[in-house]
Amino acid sequence: PLSSDGNCDTSADILIKDAWPEVSGSAEDDMRDESKLLDQVSKGLEGRSEFEGLYPKYINGGRMQIQDARGESVDETTRTVLGKTVWAQLGELPLRVHMRIAMSGVGKPLKTVQSIPELIVVIYDVMRCHMGIIEHCQILHRDISEGNILVQRDDAGVHGMLIDFDHAIHLTKKGYAKRAERTGTRPFMSVNNLEDKPTKRTALDDWESIIYILCWLGTFGWNSDTKPSDSMSNWKIEWWDGYDVKMIANAKRDHMDSSRIFTGITKEFNPNIPHIAFLEDVVEGLRVALIDNHIDSLKSARKPTDIFFHNKYIHCSVMLEVVAAVPGMVGGLIRHIKSLQGMRHDGGWMGHLLHEAKNEHVHLMTWMEVSKPVLWERALIVTVQTGFFVVFSLLYMVSPRTAHRVVGYLEEEAVMSCTHFIGEIDAGRIENVKALEIAVAYWNLDPESTLRDVVLAVRADEALHRDTNHHFSDRIRAKRKSLFEDMDTNSNKPHIKY
């Protein structure tokens, strides 16, 4: 670039990008003109020091032109270079245009990061810039991948840079991409992107890509020092890089569905990389924030109970058990009827569900003996249980997978409630009385057991119900509806029947 006196400024690094991106029409109609988009990004973030150095600054550029047979200047596209006759003979090929852009700000590939902490810093900078571009420029990147993230080093340390806006697009006022199309690198594409449905694309798709990038690097490393020392086969993450985009989407949807299943991905991380446990925590945190945000609605549904009972954990446990005792019986009853009507085996579900119902029934009877509810509390119990019975029955008939997932989250709330209960006992705010006979007999406890021992036994049950219901939901999702079938999703492996 030129300085104020007209001389060339040699202090700035300049990058010339020469590419042939796919286009849909003329320069005026092209919604993905990277030259225009990068110019808008540079102007939108100008003067905002918090984003300085996190994106390439536009200098000049646009479509290259050539002279046609009549001597007129036209865009240099694959059609004008080959000629209309040859182009027509080649059939339906994507139209590409020669684009050249000058920009300032350069970096090195992502593989040059030297540690997990540096990787996290780079990713943080990139996504901070990404959200700044959305907020101030209303532009969505849509191609967050390993190759579009650069590393910069200066006296202040390491920084990240987001590059390549050739798939970017303007957003509507509501934050949606103006059109949906499949863009990006397959291992890092969101499920929504892979399925190529007319679903509106948002910033959440790019955040999902970040999770996949971090998982990929955590497993395969980013340079020779971080690559796995031993060769493995049948890695779950390899499903993200197949040829069938539908299978990739299904695999990612399954892997991201719950923390328990996602652990199967993070367990494949290279344990020899320093601070790899920190990366596991980061990606799980991102997954929870992105995928499990609907859990907040379940937690908010518990707020009236928390406000009503406050620290009365025994009464709160009664209300939780009133609800928890319903799903097993409802699920077992519905599957029993379906099995009779279809005159086929239920796949082993009824026994598990009815055992769960019986277990929750004992929980309720135990807490009822401890709390001694009065008349109005019993009326509240009947009202809550009746309402939940109707709602859950309808939900189970419509979507058993969703019903079991909801129960899994509810059971997690029960586990947390028991943990708080134990904390109150240990703090001396709840008297650690002798365990009731019903509890001693059911759990085969020591005759000298206390209330704390009972709560520990109940918490272990609730944790088991939580994991079991998530497993049931996963089985339905994987179409392994019989409990006698192996859950392995590898289509090349025979499904074992016991």
Side-chain angles (χ1 to χ4, degrees):
L2 298 179
S3 60
S4 57
D5 58 3
N7 296 320
C8 182
D9 182 5
T10 58
S11 63
D13 293 318
I14 301 175
L15 173 69
I16 304 296
K17 180 177 180 178
D18 196 280
W20 287 79
E22 186 176 336
V23 294
S24 55
S26 63
E28 293 75 18
D29 300 329
D30 190 5
M31 299 175 64
R32 275 175 35 189
D33 188 326
E34 185 178 10
S35 176
K36 292 180 181 178
L37 290 168
L38 194 54
D39 185 27
Q40 292 168 17
V41 168
S42 298
K43 291 177 179 177
L45 299 184
E46 186 177 4
R48 301 185 182 276
S49 58
E50 64 269 30
F51 303 116
E52 189 69 29
L54 305 185
Y55 64 95
K57 290 186 177 179
Y58 175 80
I59 298 176
N60 208 336
R63 295 188 176 196
M64 303 300 294
Q65 293 193 323
I66 58 175
Q67 287 188 331
D68 62 8
R70 294 173 294 181
E72 298 178 355
S73 296
V74 295
D75 289 339
E76 186 179 8
T77 66
T78 46
R79 181 167 54 198
T80 55
V81 170
L82 295 173
K84 293 183 179 180
T85 303
V86 176
W87 180 259
Q89 293 175 349
L90 293 175
E92 296 185 3
L93 291 177
L95 180 64
R96 296 184 178 274
V97 65
H98 188 189
M99 183 81 69
R100 189 171 291 166
I101 307 172
M103 62 190 82
S104 64
V106 296
K108 295 184 178 181
L110 187 58
K111 65 182 181 180
T112 59
V113 294
Q114 299 174 1
S115 65
I116 292 291
E118 280 195 359
L119 174 63
I120 300 302
V121 169
V122 169
I123 295 297
Y124 171 77
D125 284 344
V126 164
M127 293 312 291
R128 184 159 57 90
C129 178
H130 173 273
M131 297 308 293
I133 292 171
I134 291 176
E135 179 182 358
H136 301 293
C137 311
Q138 290 74 52
I139 293 175
L140 182 64
H141 191 278
R142 297 199 310 167
D143 188 17
I144 303 295
S145 61
E146 183 181 359
N148 291 340
I149 299 174
L150 295 184
V151 179
Q152 290 184 317
R153 295 184 184 276
D154 55 27
D155 295 338
V158 65
H159 308 283
M161 174 184 278
L162 180 62
I163 64 170
D164 280 356
F165 290 80
D166 47 353
H167 288 296
I169 198 168
H170 283 282
L171 295 171
T172 64
K173 292 182 179 180
K174 292 185 178 180
Y176 299 127
K178 291 186 177 179
R179 62 179 181 180
E181 57 184 333
R182 185 180 291 139
T183 58
T185 308
R186 286 186 177 183
F188 314 129
M189 290 164 64
S190 70
V191 173
N192 184 27
N193 194 356
L194 286 164
E195 292 179 339
D196 201 23
K197 295 179 179 178
T199 308
K200 296 173 181 177
R201 204 70 49 79
T202 70
L204 297 181
D205 290 280
D206 286 355
W207 276 102
E208 188 179 337
S209 294
I210 284 293
I211 298 177
Y212 299 139
I213 291 173
L214 293 176
C215 288
W216 197 267
L217 296 177
T219 304
F220 299 111
W222 54 88
N223 55 33
S224 58
D225 295 330
T226 55
K227 287 184 178 180
S229 57
D230 55 337
S231 59
M232 294 178 62
S233 59
N234 295 325
W235 280 357
K236 290 182 174 65
I237 200 171
E238 290 182 333
W239 285 80
W240 299 0
D241 193 26
Y243 292 100
D244 189 326
V245 292
K246 185 176 180 179
M247 291 181 65
I248 298 175
N250 288 337
K252 286 183 175 181
R253 190 186 294 278
D254 287 342
H255 295 155
M256 298 283 282
D257 197 48
S258 69
S259 295
R260 188 183 65 80
I261 300 178
F262 189 66
T263 303
I265 296 295
T266 56
K267 279 184 177 179
E268 295 177 346
F269 283 8
N270 185 358
N272 297 322
I273 301 177
H275 308 293
I276 194 66
F278 178 53
L279 183 62
E280 293 178 15
D281 292 340
V282 169
V283 295
E284 171 58 14
L286 287 172
R287 192 207 66 80
V288 169
L290 186 65
I291 306 299
D292 289 351
N293 55 72
H294 58 283
I295 299 178
D296 293 339
S297 62
L298 290 172
K299 290 183 177 179
S300 63
R302 195 187 68 177
K303 285 184 179 179
T305 304
D306 291 344
I307 294 172
F308 192 78
F309 293 111
H310 192 45
N311 290 331
K312 297 178 179 178
Y313 287 101
I314 296 177
H315 292 76
C316 185
S317 296
V318 169
M319 294 307 298
L320 285 172
E321 297 302 343
V322 163
V323 172
V326 170
M329 184 58 68
V330 168
L333 176 61
I334 292 175
R335 288 189 174 275
H336 174 63
I337 297 299
K338 286 186 175 181
S339 177
L340 293 178
Q341 292 176 343
M343 291 180 283
R344 62 178 182 272
H345 197 278
D346 78 310
W349 288 75
M350 281 191 295
H352 286 278
L353 294 174
L354 294 177
H355 179 270
E356 177 185 314
K358 173 62 178 176
N359 182 253
E360 298 289 2
H361 175 266
V362 174
H363 292 179
L364 179 58
M365 293 301 101
T366 301
W367 299 136
M368 292 281 279
E369 285 289 327
V370 175
S371 64
K372 304 293 185 182
V374 296
L375 182 60
W376 69 266
E377 289 177 322
R378 290 178 179 271
L380 180 61
I381 288 172
V382 172
T383 302
V384 171
Q385 195 171 61
T386 302
F388 185 74
F389 177 84
V390 173
V391 172
F392 188 81
S393 297
L394 293 173
L395 176 61
Y396 203 95
M397 286 187 283
V398 173
S399 177
R401 183 174 75 93
T402 303
H404 283 294
R405 188 68 70 201
V406 169
V407 174
Y409 292 132
L410 289 175
E411 296 291 2
E412 177 62 27
E413 294 302 309
V415 171
M416 292 173 61
S417 181
C418 288
T419 301
H420 293 316
F421 197 163
I422 294 169
E424 292 295 300
I425 294 174
D426 292 341
R429 288 185 285 269
I430 295 179
E431 185 180 358
N432 191 21
V433 298
K434 187 177 180 180
L436 294 171
E437 291 183 6
I438 184 177
V440 172
Y442 182 76
W443 282 288
N444 195 26
L445 299 176
D446 187 278
E448 300 301 319
S449 297
T450 62
L451 177 60
R452 190 181 192 277
D453 298 316
V454 176
V455 180
L456 285 171
V458 171
R459 186 174 67 172
D461 288 345
E462 304 295 12
L464 178 62
H465 298 327
R466 174 198 61 197
D467 296 341
T468 300
N469 277 277
H470 281 310
H471 175 71
F472 286 165
S473 183
D474 298 339
R475 294 194 72 92
I476 296 172
R477 173 69 186 172
K479 297 182 179 180
R480 304 287 184 268
K481 297 184 180 181
S482 172
L483 299 185
F484 303 117
E485 284 187 302
D486 190 2
M487 262 293 287
D488 198 308
T489 55
N490 188 343
S491 58
N492 297 321
K493 181 178 178 179
H495 302 306
I496 305 171
K497 290 190 177 183
Y498 300 95

